Amino acid sequence: MTLTIADLARALDARFWGWLHCRDGASEPADAGPNQIALATGPDYLPKLKPGGIALLAEGTDPEAYGQIAAVLVSRPRLAMAGLTRSFDPAKGPAAGIHPAAIIDPSAEIGEGAAIGPFVVIGEGVRIGRNARIHSHVSIGDFARIGDDALIHAGARIHHRVTIGARFILHSNAVIGGDGFSFVTPEKSGVEEIRDNLGERAEIREQRWVRIHSLGGVEIGDDVEIGTNACIDRGTIRATRIGRGTKLDNLVQVGHNCEIGEDCLLAGQAGVAGSTRVGNRVVLGGKVGVSDNIFIGDDVIAGGGTDIYTNVPAGRVILGSPAVKMQTHIEAQKNIRRLPRLYTQVAQLQETVKNLLDKG
Amino acid sequence: MTLTIADLARALDARFWGWLHCRDGASEPADAGPNQIALATGPDYLPKLKPGGIALLAEGTDPEAYGQIAAVLVSRPRLAMAGLTRSFDPAKGPAAGIHPAAIIDPSAEIGEGAAIGPFVVIGEGVRIGRNARIHSHVSIGDFARIGDDALIHAGARIHHRVTIGARFILHSNAVIGGDGFSFVTPEKSGVEEIRDNLGERAEIREQRWVRIHSLGGVEIGDDVEIGTNACIDRGTIRATRIGRGTKLDNLVQVGHNCEIGEDCLLAGQAGVAGSTRVGNRVVLGGKVGVSDNIFIGDDVIAGGGTDIYTNVPAGRVILGSPAVKMQTHIEAQKNIRRLPRLYTQVAQLQETVKNLLDKG
Amino acid sequence: MTLTIADLARALDARFWGWLHCRDGASEPADAGPNQIALATGPDYLPKLKPGGIALLAEGTDPEAYGQIAAVLVSRPRLAMAGLTRSFDPAKGPAAGIHPAAIIDPSAEIGEGAAIGPFVVIGEGVRIGRNARIHSHVSIGDFARIGDDALIHAGARIHHRVTIGARFILHSNAVIGGDGFSFVTPEKSGVEEIRDNLGERAEIREQRWVRIHSLGGVEIGDDVEIGTNACIDRGTIRATRIGRGTKLDNLVQVGHNCEIGEDCLLAGQAGVAGSTRVGNRVVLGGKVGVSDNIFIGDDVIAGGGTDIYTNVPAGRVILGSPAVKMQTHIEAQKNIRRLPRLYTQVAQLQETVKNLLDKG
């Protein structure tokens, strides 16, 4: 894709300096070829710029000091990456139109401009908005509704009666609307027992699991993106909900009945168990686990690997297993590391006091 | 789906009170419309019941006290949810019969009443029992055997020579019978070395991994359910086994040669490494990890996020990383939280004793 | 499959003893039938050998002492498992040739000897080497390149412009080359704020996530194997890289821009966040998590469940959350277990010293 730096500067709402050159792509400074813009998005990249090149630089950096012959100057380089990568993304989907090897129920309504790949299956009463790009092997269950500009990658599954807003991005082999993991035993189960007894099992007995069916759907807002092999289960009676603008990474699990707020980020392999509510702008790092039936307030940030067993108030920054305030966790680790010295000090004190007593 | 409360009461083996009304669905009390039964399965839901409605209530609750005009009264509301959601589940699968776009080897035997969706592939010598519902894009490898009443969701994979009992439920994109993760180095590897040396690496050297092929199958009992994107690997020589009645949630991993007992629950993202045996009625919470080649006794319950590195005796309730008894874990956390005060106390003691010594 | 023990001994570069018998498979000693070789790969298996059988034994073991009538004697039994299981693996793939229900772009080049199953989709400009075995429902995106002898299981996804070496094995429903999880906020986000403030959030504000598109590819060396439902994201600008000989287990996640070295093993559910570099011969146990933008040196071994937040020097053996040297972790756990006694000792000291003071 060929762009001039003037095009790029316009796309990024930035200014440019130097000669106008056509570019056919972007690269990291160390790898930049003669026809590529070098992305020097942080100070570490500046020494790697090749003289005679063209660079994306932070405002305030002098292109000539690094031997550049042209530059786009941006106020927030990481944000500029968003615009720049969007500009260069060929965004190639399946060919326009509906592939003859797709099977679409005659009652389904597909908006204008759709590109639907081979071996796609779309069920009864489905409604999909305009400009959908649906790659091969996708299945969409009966009466699902998806907004405009959806991008759905190969092998993803959207089950029956799921509703999704505009500009949805769903990655390969992710599954929206599988059944919840919800079972009950005819008698009180061991799990219920230990909740009542603080962890002691009073008696051991047969327990067979009876299935609770999932009648609720999944409701997803606008501008949501969900990663590869992620799983969002449907609700039992009410819907599982994912708010507008929230992004879920690969292999994330959201259990039945959960409500995830708006503008959240859930990183890879994070999991939220059933019926938990997560506020707005919450960030869960990779592998974070959240117990069922709890509440995470707005703006909470949990570091990678945190296990959250109880409610978390709004705005808290947490880490560890069990989750505590990040500062508390760091201090607890320090205290644990200092224990060998403490054991020595106490042993010395015991000896000293024993001597004092003996003397006394 | 329309049911009278008499129908429901009969399905739930419960009694009903008040007028008979037709219902077309169920809802949570706060969301219940005029034609829905409100599920007040716990005391928290009672205040949300709308006067003039119809409710599912625990025996001993007075429907009139909450303004209800009819009710189904059940002895164990959570158990009633199982019957009620089953009653209302439309359980709609693919259309009856075999879709013309399915590819089924002529040697495969499919029982009566099957519904097999488009783009399904079924291999040589496969045997599937009666009333199978197999959604689109599923593949079933050569000589696999599946019992009656199977429900297999879109994109799931069952590999060659896997054998499965009756009433199996397999969710989308789950994979049964992938190869085990089993490699060996020509010389002793670093991993073997540290097992012998308690964690010290004596020397660093090249190690290339040679593949051990998986010749064993997977054997799954009756009434097993396996979640979205879960993975059950085949055994190396003997089969990997999942016992009757066991339920596995989304993204669960069961390694090669594992034996999981009967009536177990493994919650989302739990993982059991190769050759480990898990007893009956074991419950592993979300994200629990279990090392290879160990043994988990019957009726063990592990809280979410627990890492199990060593054998666990029957009936134990465990938590933490490394796993310890739940009570021990809770006390250890308390002891860690109290450390700052302990450090202060010891410093004061040192000061006091020093003064005593100086005085002496 | 029928082999004589002479065939087996030749395949394993081992010697054999006793009569030559034809065998049609291998088994564990306790399960071995009359026509199977019993694999006594460790001393625990020896007592289970059935008299009159044929066994695989470690050199130095006397077959007659266990009543065997023939044996293959190997110097490293676990290594012999590799050769033996390879010898018995029927390695059955899809039927030779291209299935008529596969859709292959006319511009794609498929090497000689390919076996491509039904419902496979191969895009524009793809190049695949000789003897590829590609099972049903696989999709391979435009301009992807795959070396000779690839084995790709059902439902796996290889996205556009991914390049892969020879002898690649990819398991079912794994996804190579999904987009990275990379977002930026127009203003500084809460996550950036707490990096600067050591975990305190100064103010709470709206944050909407703007997408950074993934323009980089994925580059995978020779002899790599990737497990079921694993996810390898493409890079932002440069490629994500997986080195020669590295093996990834089921449900493993490798984020955008990561570089994983050669001959590594990443066990089930391990995850490496974006832009992290992992050296050669690194072993990550099950569920290990690695933060973004860090460096793991060569020959590092991390036990299962370890959370790695910071750089790790070459050759280190680590465990725990946060990761520390394995010995340090074991001692820290011991110190935590001893805390109740320490609290008692300090309380006694306080009492004794108080008495001394009172007396004084």
Side-chain angles (χ1 to χ4, degrees), chain A residues 76-104:
Chain A
R76 183 157 156 74
R78 197 169 153 72
L79 179 60
M81 284 288 286
L84 186 139
T85 56
R86 191 177 52 239
S87 298
F88 282 118
D89 190 351
K92 196 169 164 298
I98 294 175
H99 193 283
I103 295 179
I104 300 183

PDB file of all heavy atoms in Angstrom, chain A residues 76-104:
ATOM      1  N   ARG A  76       1.595  11.884  20.557  1.00  0.00           N
ATOM      2  CA  ARG A  76       1.531  10.685  21.396  1.00  0.00           C
ATOM      3  C   ARG A  76       1.848   9.505  20.479  1.00  0.00           C
ATOM      4  O   ARG A  76       0.956   8.947  19.820  1.00  0.00           O
ATOM      5  CB  ARG A  76       0.127  10.582  22.010  1.00  0.00           C
ATOM      6  CG  ARG A  76      -0.064   9.431  22.969  1.00  0.00           C
ATOM      7  CD  ARG A  76      -1.228   9.711  23.932  1.00  0.00           C
ATOM      8  NE  ARG A  76      -1.826   8.514  24.478  1.00  0.00           N
ATOM      9  CZ  ARG A  76      -1.295   7.731  25.415  1.00  0.00           C
ATOM     10  NH1 ARG A  76      -0.114   8.014  25.922  1.00  0.00           N
ATOM     11  NH2 ARG A  76      -1.921   6.661  25.841  1.00  0.00           N
ATOM     12  N   PRO A  77       3.118   9.072  20.422  1.00  0.00           N
ATOM     13  CA  PRO A  77       3.512   8.088  19.398  1.00  0.00           C
ATOM     14  C   PRO A  77       2.723   6.789  19.467  1.00  0.00           C
ATOM     15  O   PRO A  77       2.368   6.222  18.437  1.00  0.00           O
ATOM     16  CB  PRO A  77       4.998   7.856  19.691  1.00  0.00           C
ATOM     17  CG  PRO A  77       5.461   9.109  20.351  1.00  0.00           C
ATOM     18  CD  PRO A  77       4.274   9.583  21.163  1.00  0.00           C
ATOM     19  N   ARG A  78       2.383   6.330  20.678  1.00  0.00           N
ATOM     20  CA  ARG A  78       1.650   5.072  20.765  1.00  0.00           C
ATOM     21  C   ARG A  78       0.254   5.203  20.143  1.00  0.00           C
ATOM     22  O   ARG A  78      -0.225   4.292  19.477  1.00  0.00           O
ATOM     23  CB  ARG A  78       1.555   4.612  22.228  1.00  0.00           C
ATOM     24  CG  ARG A  78       1.173   3.147  22.338  1.00  0.00           C
ATOM     25  CD  ARG A  78       1.327   2.579  23.734  1.00  0.00           C
ATOM     26  NE  ARG A  78       0.385   1.481  23.886  1.00  0.00           N
ATOM     27  CZ  ARG A  78       0.510   0.296  23.301  1.00  0.00           C
ATOM     28  NH1 ARG A  78       1.568   0.040  22.565  1.00  0.00           N
ATOM     29  NH2 ARG A  78      -0.402  -0.637  23.443  1.00  0.00           N
ATOM     30  N   LEU A  79      -0.346   6.386  20.357  1.00  0.00           N
ATOM     31  CA  LEU A  79      -1.649   6.621  19.725  1.00  0.00           C
ATOM     32  C   LEU A  79      -1.504   6.694  18.211  1.00  0.00           C
ATOM     33  O   LEU A  79      -2.343   6.181  17.469  1.00  0.00           O
ATOM     34  CB  LEU A  79      -2.258   7.916  20.271  1.00  0.00           C
ATOM     35  CG  LEU A  79      -3.614   8.298  19.683  1.00  0.00           C
ATOM     36  CD1 LEU A  79      -4.667   7.223  19.936  1.00  0.00           C
ATOM     37  CD2 LEU A  79      -4.081   9.631  20.266  1.00  0.00           C
ATOM     38  N   ALA A  80      -0.410   7.308  17.766  1.00  0.00           N
ATOM     39  CA  ALA A  80      -0.185   7.411  16.316  1.00  0.00           C
ATOM     40  C   ALA A  80      -0.083   6.026  15.687  1.00  0.00           C
ATOM     41  O   ALA A  80      -0.483   5.833  14.537  1.00  0.00           O
ATOM     42  CB  ALA A  80       1.087   8.207  16.045  1.00  0.00           C
ATOM     43  N   MET A  81       0.457   5.058  16.444  1.00  0.00           N
ATOM     44  CA  MET A  81       0.536   3.685  15.942  1.00  0.00           C
ATOM     45  C   MET A  81      -0.833   3.168  15.526  1.00  0.00           C
ATOM     46  O   MET A  81      -0.953   2.396  14.569  1.00  0.00           O
ATOM     47  CB  MET A  81       1.087   2.752  17.029  1.00  0.00           C
ATOM     48  CG  MET A  81       2.554   2.864  17.250  1.00  0.00           C
ATOM     49  SD  MET A  81       3.445   2.133  15.863  1.00  0.00           S
ATOM     50  CE  MET A  81       3.164   0.386  16.238  1.00  0.00           C
ATOM     51  N   ALA A  82      -1.856   3.563  16.276  1.00  0.00           N
ATOM     52  CA  ALA A  82      -3.211   3.111  15.948  1.00  0.00           C
ATOM     53  C   ALA A  82      -3.601   3.612  14.560  1.00  0.00           C
ATOM     54  O   ALA A  82      -4.017   2.842  13.692  1.00  0.00           O
ATOM     55  CB  ALA A  82      -4.202   3.579  17.015  1.00  0.00           C
ATOM     56  N   GLY A  83      -3.425   4.905  14.329  1.00  0.00           N
ATOM     57  CA  GLY A  83      -3.799   5.473  13.038  1.00  0.00           C
ATOM     58  C   GLY A  83      -2.917   4.947  11.909  1.00  0.00           C
ATOM     59  O   GLY A  83      -3.392   4.645  10.811  1.00  0.00           O
ATOM     60  N   LEU A  84      -1.631   4.833  12.202  1.00  0.00           N
ATOM     61  CA  LEU A  84      -0.699   4.400  11.164  1.00  0.00           C
ATOM     62  C   LEU A  84      -0.949   2.958  10.759  1.00  0.00           C
ATOM     63  O   LEU A  84      -0.980   2.626   9.572  1.00  0.00           O
ATOM     64  CB  LEU A  84       0.716   4.582  11.697  1.00  0.00           C
ATOM     65  CG  LEU A  84       1.802   4.304  10.684  1.00  0.00           C
ATOM     66  CD1 LEU A  84       2.911   5.322  10.797  1.00  0.00           C
ATOM     67  CD2 LEU A  84       2.330   2.907  10.865  1.00  0.00           C
ATOM     68  N   THR A  85      -1.140   2.069  11.745  1.00  0.00           N
ATOM     69  CA  THR A  85      -1.367   0.667  11.382  1.00  0.00           C
ATOM     70  C   THR A  85      -2.712   0.515  10.679  1.00  0.00           C
ATOM     71  O   THR A  85      -2.857  -0.302   9.781  1.00  0.00           O
ATOM     72  CB  THR A  85      -1.300  -0.251  12.613  1.00  0.00           C
ATOM     73  OG1 THR A  85      -2.251   0.196  13.598  1.00  0.00           O
ATOM     74  CG2 THR A  85       0.089  -0.284  13.212  1.00  0.00           C
ATOM     75  N   ARG A  86      -3.695   1.345  11.073  1.00  0.00           N
ATOM     76  CA  ARG A  86      -4.972   1.282  10.380  1.00  0.00           C
ATOM     77  C   ARG A  86      -4.790   1.716   8.923  1.00  0.00           C
ATOM     78  O   ARG A  86      -5.332   1.111   8.014  1.00  0.00           O
ATOM     79  CB  ARG A  86      -6.012   2.160  11.075  1.00  0.00           C
ATOM     80  CG  ARG A  86      -7.434   1.925  10.563  1.00  0.00           C
ATOM     81  CD  ARG A  86      -8.444   2.761  11.342  1.00  0.00           C
ATOM     82  NE  ARG A  86      -8.043   4.155  11.365  1.00  0.00           N
ATOM     83  CZ  ARG A  86      -7.811   4.865  12.464  1.00  0.00           C
ATOM     84  NH1 ARG A  86      -7.970   4.319  13.653  1.00  0.00           N
ATOM     85  NH2 ARG A  86      -7.430   6.131  12.401  1.00  0.00           N
ATOM     86  N   SER A  87      -3.963   2.770   8.711  1.00  0.00           N
ATOM     87  CA  SER A  87      -3.739   3.270   7.349  1.00  0.00           C
ATOM     88  C   SER A  87      -3.105   2.211   6.458  1.00  0.00           C
ATOM     89  O   SER A  87      -3.414   2.117   5.275  1.00  0.00           O
ATOM     90  CB  SER A  87      -2.829   4.500   7.380  1.00  0.00           C
ATOM     91  OG  SER A  87      -3.441   5.536   8.115  1.00  0.00           O
ATOM     92  N   PHE A  88      -2.182   1.438   7.032  1.00  0.00           N
ATOM     93  CA  PHE A  88      -1.464   0.451   6.221  1.00  0.00           C
ATOM     94  C   PHE A  88      -2.145  -0.918   6.186  1.00  0.00           C
ATOM     95  O   PHE A  88      -1.732  -1.795   5.442  1.00  0.00           O
ATOM     96  CB  PHE A  88      -0.028   0.277   6.727  1.00  0.00           C
ATOM     97  CG  PHE A  88       0.896   1.378   6.291  1.00  0.00           C
ATOM     98  CD1 PHE A  88       1.515   2.197   7.226  1.00  0.00           C
ATOM     99  CD2 PHE A  88       1.153   1.597   4.937  1.00  0.00           C
ATOM    100  CE1 PHE A  88       2.383   3.206   6.826  1.00  0.00           C
ATOM    101  CE2 PHE A  88       2.021   2.602   4.534  1.00  0.00           C
ATOM    102  CZ  PHE A  88       2.641   3.419   5.473  1.00  0.00           C
ATOM    103  N   ASP A  89      -3.171  -1.129   7.019  1.00  0.00           N
ATOM    104  CA  ASP A  89      -3.796  -2.452   7.069  1.00  0.00           C
ATOM    105  C   ASP A  89      -4.575  -2.716   5.789  1.00  0.00           C
ATOM    106  O   ASP A  89      -5.532  -2.002   5.485  1.00  0.00           O
ATOM    107  CB  ASP A  89      -4.741  -2.531   8.281  1.00  0.00           C
ATOM    108  CG  ASP A  89      -5.237  -3.952   8.516  1.00  0.00           C
ATOM    109  OD1 ASP A  89      -4.995  -4.831   7.667  1.00  0.00           O
ATOM    110  OD2 ASP A  89      -5.867  -4.181   9.570  1.00  0.00           O
ATOM    111  N   PRO A  90      -4.181  -3.730   5.024  1.00  0.00           N
ATOM    112  CA  PRO A  90      -4.954  -4.010   3.806  1.00  0.00           C
ATOM    113  C   PRO A  90      -6.375  -4.473   4.123  1.00  0.00           C
ATOM    114  O   PRO A  90      -7.263  -4.389   3.279  1.00  0.00           O
ATOM    115  CB  PRO A  90      -4.165  -5.132   3.132  1.00  0.00           C
ATOM    116  CG  PRO A  90      -3.321  -5.743   4.191  1.00  0.00           C
ATOM    117  CD  PRO A  90      -3.061  -4.663   5.208  1.00  0.00           C
ATOM    118  N   ALA A  91      -6.609  -4.927   5.357  1.00  0.00           N
ATOM    119  CA  ALA A  91      -7.963  -5.277   5.807  1.00  0.00           C
ATOM    120  C   ALA A  91      -8.681  -6.139   4.801  1.00  0.00           C
ATOM    121  O   ALA A  91      -9.840  -5.953   4.500  1.00  0.00           O
ATOM    122  CB  ALA A  91      -8.773  -4.013   6.098  1.00  0.00           C
ATOM    123  N   LYS A  92      -7.933  -7.091   4.267  1.00  0.00           N
ATOM    124  CA  LYS A  92      -8.504  -7.926   3.217  1.00  0.00           C
ATOM    125  C   LYS A  92      -9.378  -8.996   3.865  1.00  0.00           C
ATOM    126  O   LYS A  92      -8.940  -9.725   4.737  1.00  0.00           O
ATOM    127  CB  LYS A  92      -7.349  -8.560   2.439  1.00  0.00           C
ATOM    128  CG  LYS A  92      -7.784  -9.124   1.105  1.00  0.00           C
ATOM    129  CD  LYS A  92      -6.582  -9.484   0.254  1.00  0.00           C
ATOM    130  CE  LYS A  92      -6.993 -10.384  -0.888  1.00  0.00           C
ATOM    131  NZ  LYS A  92      -7.560 -11.675  -0.497  1.00  0.00           N
ATOM    132  N   GLY A  93     -10.623  -9.061   3.468  1.00  0.00           N
ATOM    133  CA  GLY A  93     -11.509 -10.097   3.979  1.00  0.00           C
ATOM    134  C   GLY A  93     -11.813 -11.088   2.880  1.00  0.00           C
ATOM    135  O   GLY A  93     -11.083 -11.168   1.897  1.00  0.00           O
ATOM    136  N   PRO A  94     -12.873 -11.831   3.053  1.00  0.00           N
ATOM    137  CA  PRO A  94     -13.305 -12.709   1.965  1.00  0.00           C
ATOM    138  C   PRO A  94     -13.746 -11.839   0.785  1.00  0.00           C
ATOM    139  O   PRO A  94     -14.015 -10.645   0.942  1.00  0.00           O
ATOM    140  CB  PRO A  94     -14.500 -13.459   2.558  1.00  0.00           C
ATOM    141  CG  PRO A  94     -14.762 -12.886   3.902  1.00  0.00           C
ATOM    142  CD  PRO A  94     -13.741 -11.870   4.234  1.00  0.00           C
ATOM    143  N   ALA A  95     -13.801 -12.426  -0.371  1.00  0.00           N
ATOM    144  CA  ALA A  95     -14.235 -11.686  -1.560  1.00  0.00           C
ATOM    145  C   ALA A  95     -15.659 -11.160  -1.364  1.00  0.00           C
ATOM    146  O   ALA A  95     -16.467 -11.784  -0.657  1.00  0.00           O
ATOM    147  CB  ALA A  95     -14.183 -12.604  -2.778  1.00  0.00           C
ATOM    148  N   ALA A  96     -15.961 -10.023  -1.938  1.00  0.00           N
ATOM    149  CA  ALA A  96     -17.293  -9.423  -1.798  1.00  0.00           C
ATOM    150  C   ALA A  96     -18.354 -10.408  -2.291  1.00  0.00           C
ATOM    151  O   ALA A  96     -18.110 -11.210  -3.185  1.00  0.00           O
ATOM    152  CB  ALA A  96     -17.359  -8.126  -2.597  1.00  0.00           C
ATOM    153  N   GLY A  97     -19.509 -10.320  -1.683  1.00  0.00           N
ATOM    154  CA  GLY A  97     -20.598 -11.217  -2.051  1.00  0.00           C
ATOM    155  C   GLY A  97     -20.610 -12.464  -1.193  1.00  0.00           C
ATOM    156  O   GLY A  97     -19.791 -12.612  -0.278  1.00  0.00           O
ATOM    157  N   ILE A  98     -21.534 -13.309  -1.464  1.00  0.00           N
ATOM    158  CA  ILE A  98     -21.715 -14.524  -0.670  1.00  0.00           C
ATOM    159  C   ILE A  98     -21.155 -15.704  -1.444  1.00  0.00           C
ATOM    160  O   ILE A  98     -21.558 -15.952  -2.583  1.00  0.00           O
ATOM    161  CB  ILE A  98     -23.211 -14.710  -0.351  1.00  0.00           C
ATOM    162  CG1 ILE A  98     -23.661 -13.552   0.563  1.00  0.00           C
ATOM    163  CG2 ILE A  98     -23.460 -16.063   0.322  1.00  0.00           C
ATOM    164  CD1 ILE A  98     -25.132 -13.525   0.855  1.00  0.00           C
ATOM    165  N   HIS A  99     -20.217 -16.386  -0.851  1.00  0.00           N
ATOM    166  CA  HIS A  99     -19.575 -17.518  -1.529  1.00  0.00           C
ATOM    167  C   HIS A  99     -20.619 -18.604  -1.791  1.00  0.00           C
ATOM    168  O   HIS A  99     -21.462 -18.876  -0.934  1.00  0.00           O
ATOM    169  CB  HIS A  99     -18.453 -18.057  -0.641  1.00  0.00           C
ATOM    170  CG  HIS A  99     -17.541 -19.004  -1.363  1.00  0.00           C
ATOM    171  ND1 HIS A  99     -17.862 -20.307  -1.639  1.00  0.00           N
ATOM    172  CD2 HIS A  99     -16.303 -18.811  -1.879  1.00  0.00           C
ATOM    173  CE1 HIS A  99     -16.873 -20.880  -2.276  1.00  0.00           C
ATOM    174  NE2 HIS A  99     -15.901 -19.994  -2.438  1.00  0.00           N
ATOM    175  N   PRO A 100     -20.543 -19.246  -2.956  1.00  0.00           N
ATOM    176  CA  PRO A 100     -21.561 -20.271  -3.253  1.00  0.00           C
ATOM    177  C   PRO A 100     -21.539 -21.448  -2.273  1.00  0.00           C
ATOM    178  O   PRO A 100     -22.555 -22.141  -2.137  1.00  0.00           O
ATOM    179  CB  PRO A 100     -21.195 -20.719  -4.681  1.00  0.00           C
ATOM    180  CG  PRO A 100     -19.843 -20.160  -4.968  1.00  0.00           C
ATOM    181  CD  PRO A 100     -19.651 -18.975  -4.093  1.00  0.00           C
ATOM    182  N   ALA A 101     -20.417 -21.668  -1.586  1.00  0.00           N
ATOM    183  CA  ALA A 101     -20.373 -22.762  -0.617  1.00  0.00           C
ATOM    184  C   ALA A 101     -20.773 -22.324   0.791  1.00  0.00           C
ATOM    185  O   ALA A 101     -20.553 -23.049   1.756  1.00  0.00           O
ATOM    186  CB  ALA A 101     -18.989 -23.406  -0.604  1.00  0.00           C
ATOM    187  N   ALA A 102     -21.361 -21.135   0.935  1.00  0.00           N
ATOM    188  CA  ALA A 102     -21.944 -20.752   2.225  1.00  0.00           C
ATOM    189  C   ALA A 102     -23.400 -21.211   2.245  1.00  0.00           C
ATOM    190  O   ALA A 102     -24.047 -21.261   1.198  1.00  0.00           O
ATOM    191  CB  ALA A 102     -21.867 -19.240   2.407  1.00  0.00           C
ATOM    192  N   ILE A 103     -23.896 -21.571   3.434  1.00  0.00           N
ATOM    193  CA  ILE A 103     -25.283 -22.025   3.549  1.00  0.00           C
ATOM    194  C   ILE A 103     -26.019 -21.036   4.444  1.00  0.00           C
ATOM    195  O   ILE A 103     -25.748 -20.955   5.651  1.00  0.00           O
ATOM    196  CB  ILE A 103     -25.335 -23.451   4.127  1.00  0.00           C
ATOM    197  CG1 ILE A 103     -24.678 -24.428   3.147  1.00  0.00           C
ATOM    198  CG2 ILE A 103     -26.784 -23.848   4.408  1.00  0.00           C
ATOM    199  CD1 ILE A 103     -24.659 -25.867   3.620  1.00  0.00           C
ATOM    200  N   ILE A 104     -26.912 -20.284   3.831  1.00  0.00           N
ATOM    201  CA  ILE A 104     -27.582 -19.208   4.551  1.00  0.00           C
ATOM    202  C   ILE A 104     -29.069 -19.466   4.506  1.00  0.00           C
ATOM    203  O   ILE A 104     -29.649 -19.617   3.422  1.00  0.00           O
ATOM    204  CB  ILE A 104     -27.215 -17.850   3.920  1.00  0.00           C
ATOM    205  CG1 ILE A 104     -25.679 -17.682   4.010  1.00  0.00           C
ATOM    206  CG2 ILE A 104     -27.948 -16.707   4.607  1.00  0.00           C
ATOM    207  CD1 ILE A 104     -25.148 -16.380   3.513  1.00  0.00           C
TER     208      ILE A 104
END
